[in-house]
Amino acid sequence: MKAAPAVQRRLLDLAEVDTELDRVAHRRRNLPELAEIAEAEQVLRAKRDAVVAAETTLGDLNRDVKRLETEIDQVRARSDRDRKLLDDGVPTKQAENLNHELETLKRRQGVLEDESLELMERREAVEQDVIFAKGELATAEEKLSDAQSRRDQAFADLETTEARSGDRRKTVLTELPTELVTLYERIRANKGTGAALLRARRCGACRLELDRTAISDLRTAAADEIARCEECGAILVRTPESGL
């Protein structure tokens, strides 16, 4: 295949654009914000679980406190009833039984009130746990939101660069022969780089220095002949910098 030297040099512009597009694609896949978001989402899930756990414990304590309060009210009501019976006057045997029951109810009320006090103290501690857990959750949500905003901005910047490079690529393609573009695209698909500058006898794609035989062949080849690197297959664009 043959192409004028100026056309071959235009291939370098195409390769430069494709390199930029590859960089954009690589950066889009490897944005540090992506890893940061994944970690933030994991932390957020843990913080949400912590809030649920604390609220569940608080709910259980609230039910226990309510149950004890109900029992205490029942004991007090029974005690009030017994005292009223005593005040109204009852037979001696019944009075003894009522007094005995009042003593039992008094002890029971004391036990229940102690348990209730302990539960309320625990509830106060858990309420603080809930407040702390919600604060931690809010912080985790802010960190995730911040990372997502920075990711979205980075994606927007990459899309702008990609669009600009894509337009430039279309312009370059209109200036190149179809057969040359087809060869370039095939090489690029297989090797990663379709064309590169030969500078100081070194391939700009694989960075390897050409041997004497290859240099001799290139030195005698026509300027419009398409040259290829024997190592990586890239189209070698010759210029005064090539060292031939």
Side-chain angles (χ1 to χ4, degrees), residues 14 25 52 93 156:
L14 181 59
V52 171
K93 183 62 177 177

Side-chain angles (χ1 to χ4, degrees), residues 228-243:
R228 302 273 300 276
C229 175
E230 293 182 352
E231 294 294 333
C232 69
I235 296 173
L236 290 176
V237 178
R238 291 162 287 168
T239 69
E241 301 178 57
S242 297

